[in-house]
Amino acid sequence: EAGVAQSPRYKIIEKRQSVAFWCNPISGHATLYWYQQILGQGPKLLIQFQNNGVVDDSQLPKDRFSAERLKGVDSTLKIQPAKLEDSAVYLCASSQRLAGSSGANVLTFGAGSRLTVL
Amino acid sequence: KQEVTQIPAALSVPEGENLVLNCSFTDSAIYNLQWFRQDPGKGLTSLLLIQSSQREQTSGRLNASLDKSSGRSTLYIAASQPGDSATYLCAVYGSGGSNYKLTFGKGTLLTVNP
């Protein structure tokens, strides 16, 4: 089974510029997550999709971050305009089961997209 | 709000030593707990998952225990090897209001010296 694919792996931008990250989850996985991992910290959930609907975006800075999951498959995470504190690794993960069901938290993570904002 | 704490933040041991990583969480109403491994520049790899009704799980040289009532878990690594060097993350799966989510600790950076 192919894993979770993310691109780009690395991105360097200047503050106030925009950036977009792409994620292709494992085929058939209903739930997709975007996590932000700042250096030295654990991953923090930004947004969770179930199929193509948003389940939780309570920690997403909506003034600058946006995400979508078209047709319940691929997802993009956009930051515009970027700030210095957005420098982090953005991890995408997917899960076969629906939120709340048994096995729903067996997540498979992608390798991540490392963002550096100068 | 669920908070997960991992101690120590970093640990350096000689090869062959047995070691224990600690994880504590504030809300004991969890469904399960997972230990992940993260290598530099890589994503997360799940090592062990303990259901809330279980006390421990074992995989090879790894043993994870869970004391849900006290909000604690430990990851025991036997006969450590240089290849075990990585960051180890603890995460609990619980109901954060109306949503089910994984909440992570900050991790323990383990270095095993040859």
Side-chain angles (χ1 to χ4, degrees), chain A:
Chain A
E1 153 180 280
V4 176
Q6 290 189 247
S7 67
R9 287 296 312 279
Y10 305 94
K11 189 74 175 179
I12 301 174
I13 62 173
E14 296 189 350
K15 60 183 179 183
R16 290 188 289 274
Q17 287 187 325
S18 62
V19 63
F21 301 113
W22 173 82
C23 173
N24 180 230
I26 291 175
S27 178
H29 278 200
T31 308
L32 184 147
Y33 310 78
W34 282 101
Y35 283 85
Q36 179 193 57
Q37 186 176 22
I38 294 173
L39 185 64
Q41 298 188 18
K44 180 184 81 171
L45 179 66
L46 292 177
I47 189 167
Q48 178 181 344
F49 292 95
Q50 188 161 294
N51 296 314
N52 61 348
V54 176
V55 175
D56 184 351
D57 63 356
S58 58
Q59 298 192 93
L60 185 74
K62 298 180 185 65
D63 58 333
R64 297 181 301 104
F65 285 65
S66 65
E68 60 181 4
R69 188 182 185 195
L70 299 176
K71 300 180 180 178
V73 182
D74 293 6
S75 177
T76 56
L77 175 69
K78 297 179 181 178
I79 308 174
Q80 181 180 14
K83 292 185 175 181
L84 297 177
E85 58 261 37
D86 298 332
S87 294
V89 176
Y90 291 86
L91 295 164
C92 179
S94 67
S95 169
Q96 185 175 21
R97 303 291 181 87
L98 300 178
S101 62
S102 175
N105 69 318
V106 181
L107 277 65
T108 302
F109 283 83
S113 295
R114 181 178 297 276
L115 173 66
T116 302
V117 182
L118 303 175

Side-chain angles (χ1 to χ4, degrees), chain A residues 9-10 33 35 37 40-43 45 48 55-56 58-59 91 99-101 104-107 109-112 114, chain B residues 1 31-34 36 38 40-46 49 51 89 93 96 98-107:
Chain A
R9 287 296 312 279
Y10 305 94
Y33 310 78
Y35 283 85
Q37 186 176 22
Q41 298 188 18
L45 179 66
Q48 178 181 344
V55 175
D56 184 351
S58 58
Q59 298 192 93
L91 295 164
S101 62
N105 69 318
V106 181
L107 277 65
F109 283 83
R114 181 178 297 276
Chain B
K1 177 184 175 184
Y31 292 92
N32 49 51
L33 180 146
Q34 278 183 273
F36 290 86
Q38 186 173 32
K42 301 290 181 61
L44 279 65
T45 301
S46 180
L49 184 153
Q51 300 291 350
L89 292 157
Y93 185 69
S98 61
N99 181 39
Y100 299 83
K101 62 173 73 174
L102 273 179
T103 302
F104 286 85
K106 292 184 178 182

Side-chain angles (χ1 to χ4, degrees), chain B residues 85-97:
Chain B
S85 298
T87 296
Y88 291 80
L89 292 157
C90 169
V92 295
Y93 185 69
S95 175

